Amino acid sequence: GSLRNKDPGPQPLELKQVFMLFQIQYNRSYSNPEEYARRLDIFARNLAHAQQLEAEDLGTAEFGVTPFSDLTEEEFGQLYGHQRMAGEAPSMGRKVGSEESGES
Amino acid sequence: LPSSCDWRRLKGIISPIRQQENCNCCWAMATAGNIEALWGIRYNQVVQVSVQELLDCGRCGDGCRGGFVWDAFITVLNNSGLASERDYPFQGDVKPHKCLAKKYKKVAWIQDFIMLQDNEKTIARYLATEGPITVTINMKLLQQYQKGVIKATPATCDPQAVDHSVLLVGFGRSKSVGGRRAEGGASQPHPRRSIPYWILKNSWGAEWGEEGYFRLHRGSNACGITKYPLTARVDLPVKKRPVSCPP
């Protein structure tokens, strides 16, 4: 119809285009096509998660593409958290001088 | 308790944002930031201390594979202080048997360290009157964070599963009247409100977040911020002088 000839205006970027911009911005390259595909999949999931956080968040935070967008949550935790905390943290709440603490 | 506090506004207190790169040394960088800030407040001296010394000389070995803030403070006490970042620069890896603590002059040292009560008002009061504090949080929401105040719930960010240490440098209340949705106008407007927040210094470079910083909701133990609030003491309590955090 008549709408067909109208300029549709700016279109949302395709996922691969967004991923390419991410690679350029954060200087990322992948060793083979399989790795690229895997990272693209992780990137897509993370973007979806960011959108979900935006929808749920009650604060003013904005979530989206970051330097960590091609990492799984587990990889992110391993690379940037402190892994020793993954196990049981030592008891820090014990009162000094209590029976539990033994010697001072 | 002041309504806001931001130690970044006092020149020479908060050191530049660090970048931990591929080393899990947030615990050492948060500790270094704490000592630098307290040293600046107490002695009016700008210092940047060696994170690498904390990694190389820590009793637990490979500090790039994680660690605890309290171990960093113990390292500082055992070594009678820390060398400067310039003398003993950050390498991003660890040589556990190559502790060079004795080789360089100490530029800052501490008397002891303490853990505060797990109460956000107590933490805010201490922050405003004494200086920045290290905290350990659940970093899950930081992976996708860009800017703004994160308001988490125990379901979205488990306050018990803390895994990332950062430096608490201030607090305040958002000036925006209305939430993001109200500002954007994309969906139903929210009632006008301001959000109390903490200002935290991260160690993922100045390109990340709000120029290396991020904000967390204050008053709801967001992401477990009250679990391990630790700080050094750079002076004996009896000699304490009142300090004032700029609003």
Side-chain angles (χ1 to χ4, degrees):
Chain A
S2 60
L3 287 172
R4 198 174 290 163
N5 295 330
K6 284 192 175 175
D7 179 3
Q11 296 294 298
L13 290 172
E14 293 283 334
L15 176 66
K16 282 188 178 178
Q17 287 177 289
V18 179
F19 191 53
M20 190 181 72
L21 291 174
F22 162 81
Q23 287 184 274
I24 293 166
Q25 186 176 357
Y26 297 111
N27 197 24
R28 292 289 201 288
S29 59
Y30 305 107
S31 54
N32 54 57
E34 289 76 25
E35 182 63 9
Y36 171 85
R38 188 172 113 78
R39 293 296 157 189
L40 177 61
D41 182 56
I42 293 166
F43 182 80
R45 286 169 197 265
N46 280 334
L47 277 196
H49 184 221
Q51 284 180 343
Q52 189 189 338
L53 288 172
E54 288 249 352
E56 289 174 359
D57 179 49
L58 299 172
T60 61
E62 292 179 20
F63 299 94
V65 176
T66 71
F68 317 117
S69 290
D70 63 343
L71 301 175
T72 64
E73 195 179 317
E74 292 70 32
E75 288 170 332
F76 176 65
Q78 284 167 8
L79 285 169
Y80 294 96
H82 38 100
Q83 290 171 305
R84 288 201 183 111
M85 204 57 110
E88 191 180 343
S91 173
M92 291 289 288
R94 204 159 52 187
K95 284 181 185 171
V96 175
S98 71
E99 285 182 7
E100 286 175 84
S101 63
E103 291 179 18
S104 62
Chain B
L1 184 68
S3 59
S4 66
C5 160
D6 188 350
W7 285 108
R8 295 175 299 180
R9 298 181 69 176
L10 206 56
K11 205 176 170 190
I13 302 299
I14 304 298
S15 56
I17 293 287
R18 289 183 158 95
Q19 169 61 275
Q20 62 185 78
E21 294 170 358
N22 295 322
C23 175
N24 292 55
C25 61
C26 57
W27 57 281
M29 292 192 163
T31 303
N34 174 248
I35 295 169
E36 289 160 351
L38 296 179
W39 200 262
I41 292 167
R42 175 64 186 88
Y43 300 110
N44 217 9
Q45 276 180 31
V46 179
V47 290
Q48 280 191 52
V49 298
S50 172
V51 169
Q52 193 63 41
E53 183 175 346
L54 292 171
L55 302 178
D56 289 346
C57 310
R59 62 178 181 158
C60 294
D62 188 353
C64 271
R65 294 183 66 189
F68 298 105
V69 168
W70 45 85
D71 283 325
F73 284 133
I74 289 169
T75 301
V76 181
L77 290 169
N78 285 344
N79 291 336
S80 307
L82 285 173
S84 71
E85 173 68 30
R86 194 174 62 177
D87 286 346
Y88 200 158
F90 181 62
Q91 305 287 331
D93 61 2
V94 173
K95 299 173 189 73
H97 304 296
K98 298 265 178 144
C99 173
L100 303 175
K102 289 182 180 166
K103 190 175 170 185
Y104 302 111
K105 182 187 148 201
K106 306 297 179 194
V107 294
W109 49 91
I110 65 174
Q111 298 293 333
D112 64 359
F113 66 97
I114 55 169
M115 187 161 82
L116 305 178
Q117 286 177 5
D118 57 349
N119 175 302
E120 286 180 85
K121 280 187 181 163
T122 306
I123 293 170
R125 192 173 296 115
Y126 197 94
L127 176 64
T129 57
E130 303 289 336
I133 299 159
T134 69
V135 291
T136 301
I137 60 162
N138 180 334
M139 66 172 185
K140 187 181 172 183
L141 296 177
L142 301 186
Q143 185 176 1
Q144 325 288 349
Y145 174 82
Q146 292 179 325
K147 62 180 179 179
V149 180
I150 302 171
K151 194 172 182 188
T153 65
T156 58
C157 194
D158 183 354
Q160 295 302 319
V162 296
D163 58 359
H164 184 49
S165 298
V166 291
L167 188 68
L168 191 53
V169 300
F171 58 84
R173 201 172 261 276
S174 67
K175 281 181 184 163
S176 68
V177 282
R180 166 170 35 83
R181 286 157 201 80
E183 290 160 20
S187 57
Q188 292 293 317
H190 276 209
R192 289 173 172 242
R193 65 205 167 107
S194 68
I195 301 173
Y197 59 78
W198 295 112
I199 307 166
L200 299 118
K201 182 188 182 191
N202 206 349
S203 48
W204 296 343
E207 303 297 309
W208 178 86
E210 296 180 331
E211 297 178 2
Y213 293 82
F214 64 103
R215 287 178 291 160
L216 265 184
H217 182 261
R218 177 164 53 98
S220 58
N221 189 26
C223 298
I225 194 167
T226 64
K227 194 169 175 71
Y228 297 122
L230 273 89
T231 181
R233 284 214 281 227
V234 299
D235 197 7
L236 296 173
V238 289
K239 290 182 183 173
K240 192 176 72 177
R241 290 179 190 172
V243 293
S244 177
C245 174

